Every structure is written in C-alpha cells, then in structure tokens.
C-alpha cells in the first residue's frame, strides 16, 4: 500500500493547497491571494486518502442521518449508513430519540437493516441477545454459559444525536462538540427560513460513480452554471451571488428573475420567464418546462422579480402554505448553505431540499441523497404522511432538468480526476466553498504542513 505521505510529497501536499494560501490560512485570506488554490487530485481518487477519512473524519463529525419524520413516534427506527459505518436511530417508549452503533455486543452481528415502525425491543437475529429501546441489555439466551455477565456492562454503543429543523444528525464521537456549536452560525443565520415548519416527504438516493467530494462540490459553486446549466442564464445572476465564508460552513444567496451578467445583451422579460419556467416553473404554477407561454399579466409596478414572488406566493397559498412571513426577495431567491462535510441544505421559501453525499465502498463511488421537505400548511399540527425513501438508478433517474445535468456530469468529473497529468485541481475564489471543505478536512485528518499528525 502506498504510504499516505507519498501521496502528498511536494508539490502535491494536501496541507499546502497553494503557495499563496498556506496551511492554516483562513478562507478570508483568499481575497488577498494572487493566484489560484491548488488541491491535490489524489484526495478524490486515492484509497489511502479515503481510508484516512474513514479513520479521522466520519467517526468524529456531525452528519445528517435522516429526518424527524422518519422517527416520529415511539418504536420508529432508521438505519443510517456512511461507508462501512452503520448507525441505528430509535425513538424510545419514553419518546426520546437515541442513536446507537448498529452492532450486537455478542459477536458483532449487525442488528437492523432499513427502517420501520413499531419496534418494542432491539433483538439480534443471530443468537437473540436483546436490548430495550434505551439500549440496555435485557436478555441473553443460555446466559449461564457466559459465567458472570451483567446487563449493565453490555449496553449498545450510544452515539450523539441532535436535530435542526426536520434534520436529524448523529455523531459517533461522544466527545464531539454539541450540534448547535458545530453548525454555528448556520442555525441563527437560517432562522428566518423557519425550518421547524418543514416536514420530510421523501429521500431520493442515487448511487453515483464519483467520490463523495466530487458530488458535493457540484453543489458548492455556481461557476458551472454557464457550463452545464446554460438554460438558467436568462433567469439568474450566477456571477455576483453573495457567498458567506464562515470558518466551517458557507452560504450562497442566488437571486432569480434577473439575467446573468455573462449575457452581454441581457435578456428580455419573455426570456427571463422562459428560463425560469424551464428550470423551476412548478414553483410559480407553470409546471410544463417546455411550454412557458407568455409572461403572466403583471400588476401595476411589478418587476419580473416581484411578479415571480407573487406567483410563488399564490401557488403556495393554493396548497395552504402561507409565505406571508417572507419578503419578496426571500420568496423568489434561493438560500443555499454548505455545511461541512457533506450536506448542502437548499432552502426556498416553500421548501428545503437537503443534498447529501455519502461515501460508498471505494473512492470512486458515493450515494447522492436528496432529502425533500416542503413547508407545512399554516398552523398544521399533523406533519402529514411518512417519508417515502427510494433509490433510483443514475442512468434513468429523472430529477428535473438541472439535477439531471449535474448527475450526468459527475461520472465525467470523476473519471477525469484519474488522468495522470492532473496532479491538482485549480480553484478560483468563486469556488471558495470547495476550498473551505478542504481546509476543514485537513483539520479533521490532522494534515498540517503537508503531513498527518
Ligand atoms: S451476534 Fe448477536 S446474539 Fe450473537
Ligand atoms: Fe449544478
């Protein structure tokens, strides 16, 4: 096996993304950097690097496991997997949500697979050891054969669990900081989006032939809009969208209803409308992306942006969802967060789509999950039907034009990373949320000055 250090001998040291932004620099320092940031390509392809992530990142970092709608009631359970790691989430009879490593303390059999309801005990199918839903051992068949074996000495291995809005997070490291601290300042920044009013309806999973970072990187910059989503250019400013650079997480605000400054001649209102309908028309009650029709009649003084805000409000109101708490800008625009390491919660006023990538069995495969959470009708006390979780094939999945374009490109993005001449990715300040992912990854992996501690 290649020594991990061999992967990053100069000039390919992961601890030195670029001469201009040495290890330990902040993302804010990028503004002063005269050149691009270089990231070693091996981070995306090397089994040794993936092994380092498995040892030092995934067992210690907060991850979205599922949503509260998957584990609403006592006896509800859900298995979350991340590479070989498996975590069991269970709502106890005391209504408390707990997380456990999904392993039997007898000989290590996996306890549960999938998800379900009505669980009253956690029983291993192999030799039938059994725990209660709080993780306490309560039954061992033929106990005498073990000699002295006390139930209190064999609880399930507990993990930390926390929630933000509808999202349930787990952390296998009992010494890790609380979730609220880890997510700072995202929770406060996103409070205006009222995440507690969102309920999950589905998780769509697409296995993809790319590294988990290749996958989430595609949702961490808008530089590629002019590459693979050109149909968006007439209805969004992909260049000047404001980004936030926090030490661990990031944010993008993407305005809709205005053309990209890349279009020298701008766009007519008809072109803005057609572009909006082609990419997200269902939001405004225009569900056929191929038939935008004319721009809907405008009220006095309405701009394209305020027109879109009104149409989105009307569409949501027709479904009982009141967007009165939001300004027109907040209704029309996209509010995207990038939370280290592997999720991008994408908020619209009427919904949350949390994009997540999880490692697969090799550095060249991952799972892309889209966790869909529409906003509940005003005053709803019932969170609605349970989520439906489906796995779709990348070749045949139809997730809308923009997602389809992202997914179709990811195979190419990963294959290219293997080519011998490409020692480094070359990143722009526009891609600072990707740089931030690498800076934080280095901290978890112990990469300082180019070497793990
Ligand atoms: S491995 Fe679970 S009871 Fe034996
Ligand atoms: Fe994209």
């Amino acid at each position: 096996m290649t020594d991990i250090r061999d992967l990053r001998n100069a000039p390919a040291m992961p601890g030195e993304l670029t001469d201009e932004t040495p290890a330990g620099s902040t993302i804010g320092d990028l503004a002063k950097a005269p050149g691009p940031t270089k990231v070693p390509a091996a981070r995306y392809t090397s089994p040794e690097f993936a092994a380092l992530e498995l040892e030092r990142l995934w067992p210690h970092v907060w991850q979205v496991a599922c949503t509260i709608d998957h584990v609403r009631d006592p006896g509800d359970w859900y298995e979350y997997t991340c590479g070989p790691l498996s975590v069991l989430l269970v709502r106890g009879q005391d209504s408390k949500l707990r997380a456990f490593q999904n392993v039997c303390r007898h000989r290590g059999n996996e306890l549960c697979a999938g998800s379900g309801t009505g669980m009253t005990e956690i029983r291993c199918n192999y030799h039938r050891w059994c725990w209660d839903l709080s993780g306490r051992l309560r039954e061992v068949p033929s106990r005498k054969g073990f000699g002295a074996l006390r139930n209190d000495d064999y609880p399930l291995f507990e993990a930390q669990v926390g929630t933000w809005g509808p999202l349930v997070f787990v952390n296998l490291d009992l010494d890790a900081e609380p979730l609220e601290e880890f997510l700072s300042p995202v929770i406060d920044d996103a409070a205006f989006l009222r995440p507690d009013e969102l309920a999950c309806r589905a998780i769509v999973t697409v296995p993809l032939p790319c590294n988990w970072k290749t996958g989430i990187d595609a949702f961490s910059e808008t530089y590629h809009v002019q590459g693979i989503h050109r149909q968006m250019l007439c209805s969004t400013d992909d260049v000047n969208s404001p980004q936030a650079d926090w030490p661990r997480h990031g944010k993008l605000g993407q305005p809709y209803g205005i053309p990209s400054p890349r279009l020298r001649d701008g766009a007519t209102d008809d072109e803005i409308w057609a572009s909006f309908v082609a990419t997200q028309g269902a939001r405004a009650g225009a569900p056929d992306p191929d038939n935008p029709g004319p721009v809907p009649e405008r009220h006095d003084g309405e701009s394209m942006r305020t027109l879109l805000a009104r149409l989105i409000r009307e569409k949501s109101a027709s479904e009982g969802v009141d967007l009165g708490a939001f300004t027109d800008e907040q209704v029309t625009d996209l509010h995207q967060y990038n939370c280290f390491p592997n999720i991008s919660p994408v908020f619209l006023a009427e919904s949350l789509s949390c994009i997540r990538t999880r490692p697969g069995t090799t550095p060249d495969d991952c799972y892309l999950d889209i966790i869909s959470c529409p906003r509940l009708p005003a005053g709803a006390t019932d969170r609605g039907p349970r989520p439906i979780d489906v796995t779709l094939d990348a070749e045949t999945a139809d997730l809308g034009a923009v997602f389809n374009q992202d997914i179709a490109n990811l195979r190419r993005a990963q294959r290219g990373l293997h080519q011998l001449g490409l020692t480094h990715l070359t990143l722009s300040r526009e891609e600072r949320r990707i740089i931030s992912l690498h800076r934080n990854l280095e901290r978890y992996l112990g990469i300082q000055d180019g070497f793990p501690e």
Side-chain angles (χ1 to χ4, degrees), residues 380-430:
T381 51
D382 180 357
R383 292 183 66 86
R386 285 178 177 281
I388 295 170
D389 298 340
V390 293
T391 298
L392 300 177
D393 188 87
E395 309 298 328
T396 53
D398 183 0
L399 301 171
V402 176
F403 257 120
N404 291 349
Q405 289 165 331
D406 286 317
I407 286 173
N409 196 64
L410 284 170
R411 177 188 299 274
R412 300 162 61 131
Q414 186 69 18
R415 281 184 59 79
L417 287 164
H418 282 272
Q419 302 315 309
L420 301 178
L422 189 91
T423 58
H424 291 77
L425 289 69
T426 303
L427 301 183
S428 154
R429 287 190 286 276
E430 269 188 80

Side-chain angles (χ1 to χ4, degrees), residues 228-250:
I228 62 174
H229 307 307
R230 294 191 67 77
Q231 78 275 27
M232 291 180 74
L233 288 177
C234 284
S235 60
T236 191
D237 183 343
D238 55 326
V239 175
N240 301 307
S241 310
Q243 298 191 53
D245 301 325
W246 296 310
R248 187 179 279 138
H249 312 298

Side-chain angles (χ1 to χ4, degrees), residues 134-443:
S134 71
R136 184 174 185 275
L137 181 65
R138 71 177 192 196
E139 190 183 327
V140 175
S142 304
R143 183 186 287 262
K144 281 186 190 154
F146 292 92
L149 186 153
R150 287 167 16 104
N151 285 357
D152 286 345
D153 292 340
Y154 292 88
L156 295 180
F157 299 112
E158 199 152 6
Q160 290 199 67
V161 61
T163 63
W164 171 44
L167 303 175
V168 174
F169 291 71
V170 293
N171 193 324
L172 289 163
D173 187 345
L174 298 177
D175 294 325
E177 70 273 65
L179 176 65
E180 294 71 23
E181 199 178 301
F182 174 82
L183 283 178
S184 176
V186 171
I187 293 177
D188 287 344
D189 191 83
F192 77 98
L193 292 159
R194 300 169 174 244
D196 290 334
E197 296 174 358
L198 301 158
C200 183
R201 291 286 171 270
I203 299 182
V204 175
T205 296
V206 185
L208 289 178
C210 68
N211 187 266
W212 67 272
K213 297 185 293 297
T214 313
I216 204 67
D217 285 357
F219 300 94
S220 305
E221 44 87 4
T222 54
Y223 186 36
H224 72 273
V225 168
Q226 40 90 36
I228 62 174
H229 307 307
R230 294 191 67 77
Q231 78 275 27
M232 291 180 74
L233 288 177
C234 284
S235 60
T236 191
D237 183 343
D238 55 326
V239 175
N240 301 307
S241 310
Q243 298 191 53
D245 301 325
W246 296 310
R248 187 179 279 138
H249 312 298
K251 178 188 179 183
L252 167 81
Q254 191 165 21
Y256 294 130
I258 52 173
S260 167
R262 295 184 193 280
L263 301 173
R264 206 179 319 151
D265 299 324
T268 65
D269 287 351
D270 281 339
E271 288 169 331
I272 292 172
W273 173 246
S275 170
F276 186 84
V277 171
T279 51
Q280 50 184 327
R283 294 183 65 201
D288 185 348
D290 298 324
N291 292 298
V295 179
E297 198 172 324
R298 275 186 262 188
H299 294 174
D300 280 351
E302 270 185 341
S303 66
M304 281 304 288
R305 279 174 56 72
T306 53
L307 166 70
L308 292 175
R310 176 170 61 80
L311 295 175
I312 294 166
R313 287 183 198 283
E314 289 172 359
K315 170 71 177 358
S316 288
S318 73
E319 295 165 351
V321 177
D322 179 12
L323 301 182
F326 301 100
T327 66
D328 281 354
E329 290 73 21
Q330 289 168 346
V331 167
T332 306
D333 297 344
L334 173 138
H335 318 277
Q336 177 177 18
Y337 293 85
N338 291 87
C339 299
F340 181 78
N342 64 333
I343 62 164
S344 181
V346 180
F347 288 91
L348 297 167
E350 68 272 31
S351 67
L352 162 68
S353 295
C354 182
I355 297 161
R356 173 182 68 182
T357 60
R358 292 174 289 141
T361 53
T362 77
D364 290 313
D365 65 276
C366 75
Y367 297 97
L368 171 76
D369 306 296
I370 303 163
I371 304 169
S372 297
C373 306
R375 192 169 296 282
L376 289 165
T381 51
D382 180 357
R383 292 183 66 86
R386 285 178 177 281
I388 295 170
D389 298 340
V390 293
T391 298
L392 300 177
D393 188 87
E395 309 298 328
T396 53
D398 183 0
L399 301 171
V402 176
F403 257 120
N404 291 349
Q405 289 165 331
D406 286 317
I407 286 173
N409 196 64
L410 284 170
R411 177 188 299 274
R412 300 162 61 131
Q414 186 69 18
R415 281 184 59 79
L417 287 164
H418 282 272
Q419 302 315 309
L420 301 178
L422 189 91
T423 58
H424 291 77
L425 289 69
T426 303
L427 301 183
S428 154
R429 287 190 286 276
E430 269 188 80
E431 296 163 303
R432 69 189 69 176
R433 285 173 285 156
I434 298 175
I435 299 169
S436 176
L437 166 63
H438 283 277
R439 284 290 182 221
N440 281 287
L441 194 53
E442 288 166 353
R443 290 188 190 107

